Amino acid sequence: MKKSLCIFIAACCCTAVCHAQMRAMTDERIELTSIVFRLAGMHEFVNDDVYAYTRTIDEYFEGYREHELIQYVRQLREEQRIAYAAAAGSATKLRITENGVALHPGLTYADAAQDRRWTEETFARYVALLDDFYRTSGFRAFFEANEALYAAAAGELNALLSEIDTRWFPSFFGEEFVAPNVYAAMANGRNNYIVEDPSSAAGYGIVIGCTGNGSGMPQLSDSVLPTIVHEICHFYTEPIFQTYWKAMEPAADILYPSIREQMRRNAYGSAQETTVEWLNNLFKIMYFKENPNSRHPARFLVTLDAERGFIWMQRAFLFMDNFYRNRDTYAYIGDYMPRIVDFLNHTAADLETVLQEYNARNPYIIEVFPAPGDLSDVADSFDEVRITFSVPMGTHAYAYNNIKDSEYPILPVRAAYWEDARTFVLKIDSRNFEPGRTYGVRLNRYYFVDQWNHPLRESVDYLYTTALPNGDTEKGA
């Protein structure tokens, strides 16, 4: 059966404002570390999207998969849980020279082991084995042979960095912006990290995992832009959070059990980790509120975070209006933190209502005219279906199609449009009706979203049946 599909998404253009104090780079230490953990089979470092690169890795280092370093890394994973940030963050604590790999000269092994999963002893042995692996495998030659790919990755990332207005950070946080090192990591998997970085003037770096295009070349999705803003915000959020954590902790302990499973899926295993991530996400969203981006609307980011488990994010977003209305009192976000503590306390006290709001977040259809069913008495005048929604909807998109896995032909729609924010209209060409047939149409839930980007809870099917030519009321497909 022929299938029909209609999707409409309004396209908006935006102009990038360039304040490019940040520049992307690739780094031999990052690639070395990522490749070692890839060879050890650590799933978070295995991403074959950039297959033009990963195939080269696997071929070049095939004979080193059982090197003592690789076996030691597997042991560290098993016994000390060295993974994700603990692994990625180790790279910037190194220095590579013509003599090999060593600890960064500005650090001690005690400094390097600040992540409690490392110890001075394990980090020292790791560096010694890494140095041997580097020299015996001829890693420098491998790195130099792939410079064209590294340059392509850095170029992709620089295009995104050029869109970030770094003037916003001092205007919001009240502290000078110092550009961190931003690394395009070719073998880092799809994860991104903020890491301590003694080689950076800011004292920290951001590691962005590359994905690939259809040709296996590095390509960075536009979705990375909020991630970069998120990681920069962390630099400012952490000291603010540490100042106010004790005041926030009682409310956090009330809120966390209701979202524990969702947070664990996001690797946030405590009320404290959850609360600092919520706060940082809120600040990231404020960047996009003040710097509108058609590809990353602030309200859409609110909904994404709510779907991840931060179920009070919409309330928090609206509460921030008070900050902007009172900037004469609250010059910077640190000045407003006592009010955010009050907000969190109120949210915890009102948790039952917050949960009700979250569970009822999806819009729904309250009226369809004419109602689905028999069109015997109105077939000649049936020229449209009017669908009314429970709340104002986003009129930038819609999608309708035939009902999958059914024999019903699609309703003969000649036009579709939003009449207003709550009314969607399908204009029908009744001349294409056959007598005695049942026609169907499905509204795709993901393209009918409210103004917070909440979709319908499920897709909706409607069936309409025309009269038989002799006036019989028997229905057929």
Side-chain angles (χ1 to χ4, degrees):
M1 182 179 69
K2 183 179 180 180
K3 297 185 177 180
S4 300
L5 170 67
C6 178
I7 295 176
F8 165 79
I9 301 176
C12 300
C13 297
C14 72
T15 301
V17 179
C18 183
H19 305 285
Q21 290 95 331
M22 293 182 290
R23 295 292 297 171
M25 64 187 76
T26 52
D27 190 283
E28 190 176 13
R29 299 167 301 167
I30 302 287
E31 295 309 308
L32 173 63
T33 302
S34 300
I35 288 171
V36 163
F37 280 84
R38 174 187 175 89
L39 294 175
M42 307 310 178
H43 66 86
E44 66 271 26
F45 288 92
V46 177
N47 170 19
D48 291 327
D49 288 350
V50 193
Y51 59 79
Y53 185 54
T54 56
R55 285 176 182 171
T56 304
I57 293 172
D58 293 341
E59 291 171 3
Y60 187 93
F61 295 101
E62 180 61 34
Y64 298 92
R65 289 183 181 275
E66 297 307 317
H67 186 280
E68 187 179 358
L69 168 67
I70 307 305
Q71 297 181 50
Y72 185 57
V73 165
R74 292 175 184 143
Q75 179 184 336
L76 290 173
R77 171 71 164 240
E78 183 69 24
E79 297 177 358
Q80 305 297 327
R81 298 187 303 114
I82 300 297
Y84 290 97
S90 68
T92 50
K93 298 180 174 71
L94 305 172
R95 184 180 186 185
I96 298 178
T97 67
E98 60 185 13
N99 296 320
V101 181
L103 184 68
H104 191 283
L107 299 176
T108 66
Y109 281 110
D111 297 327
Q114 285 188 3
D115 185 313
R116 290 177 293 181
R117 287 171 286 186
W118 290 101
T119 66
E120 293 182 51
E121 292 75 18
T122 56
F123 204 93
R125 186 180 178 201
Y126 169 73
V127 172
L129 292 173
L130 189 63
D131 175 57
D132 182 74
F133 176 87
Y134 178 85
R135 288 183 289 105
T136 58
S137 68
F139 190 89
R140 173 59 63 84
F142 171 85
F143 185 77
E144 291 177 346
N146 286 281
E147 285 181 350
L149 282 173
Y150 301 142
E156 287 276 321
L157 187 50
N158 274 323
L160 294 175
L161 293 179
S162 69
E163 294 190 42
I164 297 176
D165 185 352
T166 57
R167 297 172 300 181
W168 177 83
F169 297 96
S171 75
F172 186 78
F173 292 105
E175 296 183 28
E176 179 185 3
F177 176 80
V178 180
N181 289 341
V182 184
Y183 301 101
M186 295 277 287
N188 194 62
R190 296 172 181 171
N191 297 296
N192 312 291
Y193 304 97
I194 184 169
V195 297
E196 294 179 38
D197 190 354
S199 65
S200 167
Y204 73 101
I206 299 171
V207 180
I208 300 295
C210 290
T211 53
N213 60 22
S215 301
M217 294 291 288
Q219 183 177 54
L220 282 161
S221 165
D222 181 68
S223 63
V224 170
L225 188 62
T227 298
I228 298 169
V229 174
H230 172 96
E231 299 298 356
I232 296 172
C233 283
H234 257 301
F235 175 74
Y236 300 95
T237 301
E238 290 290 344
I240 294 173
F241 177 77
Q242 293 303 324
T243 299
Y244 286 94
W245 167 238
K246 287 301 180 185
M248 303 169 82
E249 187 173 10
D253 286 341
I254 293 171
L255 293 167
Y256 181 69
S258 66
I259 56 172
R260 178 185 288 112
E261 293 309 312
Q262 290 164 291
M263 291 297 105
R264 285 179 173 173
R265 287 195 292 272
N266 291 308
Y268 306 139
S270 69
Q272 183 172 0
E273 290 177 339
T274 295
T275 307
V276 70
E277 283 301 315
W278 161 71
L279 188 66
N280 194 67
N281 286 342
L282 178 62
F283 295 165
K284 169 201 69 181
I285 291 169
M286 291 305 104
Y287 171 89
F288 287 96
K289 175 185 174 73
E290 293 190 51
N291 297 275
N293 185 309
S294 62
R295 305 186 311 279
H296 306 289
R299 287 191 172 208
F300 179 67
L301 298 175
V302 168
T303 299
L304 284 180
D305 282 331
E307 293 297 320
R308 293 173 61 215
F310 299 103
I311 62 175
W312 59 91
M313 187 60 85
Q314 183 174 327
R315 283 191 171 201
F317 177 80
L318 295 173
F319 184 77
M320 286 297 295
D321 287 346
N322 297 298
F323 170 65
Y324 291 104
R325 280 195 293 265
N326 295 279
R327 289 299 292 266
D328 55 338
T329 301
Y330 308 110
Y332 304 112
I333 193 62
D335 304 319
Y336 192 64
M337 278 303 298
R339 305 290 75 78
I340 291 180
V341 173
D342 293 340
F343 164 81
L344 201 66
N345 286 332
H346 174 74
T347 301
D350 200 29
L351 178 57
E352 183 176 349
T353 304
V354 172
L355 288 167
Q356 290 173 356
E357 290 173 353
Y358 179 72
N359 291 330
R361 66 193 181 279
N362 300 93
Y364 54 91
I365 293 168
I366 60 174
E367 181 181 292
V368 181
F369 183 83
D374 186 0
L375 295 176
S376 299
D377 59 335
V378 295
D380 293 338
S381 60
F382 178 50
D383 64 353
E384 68 178 17
V385 177
R386 300 177 62 83
I387 302 164
T388 306
F389 291 83
S390 58
V391 296
M393 302 290 283
T395 58
H396 60 285
Y398 60 77
Y400 63 87
N401 56 281
N402 61 298
I403 300 174
K404 186 179 179 181
D405 299 326
S406 79
E407 296 302 316
Y408 303 117
I410 189 170
L411 200 66
V413 176
R414 60 181 176 84
Y417 57 88
W418 287 98
E419 183 175 276
D420 55 50
R422 294 184 62 178
T423 309
F424 180 67
V425 178
L426 295 172
K427 299 297 288 186
I428 308 302
D429 188 351
S430 58
R431 295 172 299 177
N432 291 326
F433 279 140
E434 296 180 20
R437 295 294 304 271
T438 297
Y439 294 84
V441 66
R442 170 169 292 173
L443 305 186
N444 188 316
R445 65 181 294 255
Y446 295 109
Y447 293 88
F448 289 90
V449 297
D450 67 15
Q451 294 181 356
W452 290 96
N453 286 279
H454 298 123
L456 293 171
R457 189 172 296 277
E458 57 188 9
S459 295
V460 180
D461 297 340
Y462 294 127
L463 298 175
Y464 291 93
T465 303
T466 61
L468 290 168
N470 61 4
D472 197 335
T473 58
E474 181 183 355
K475 314 298 189 298

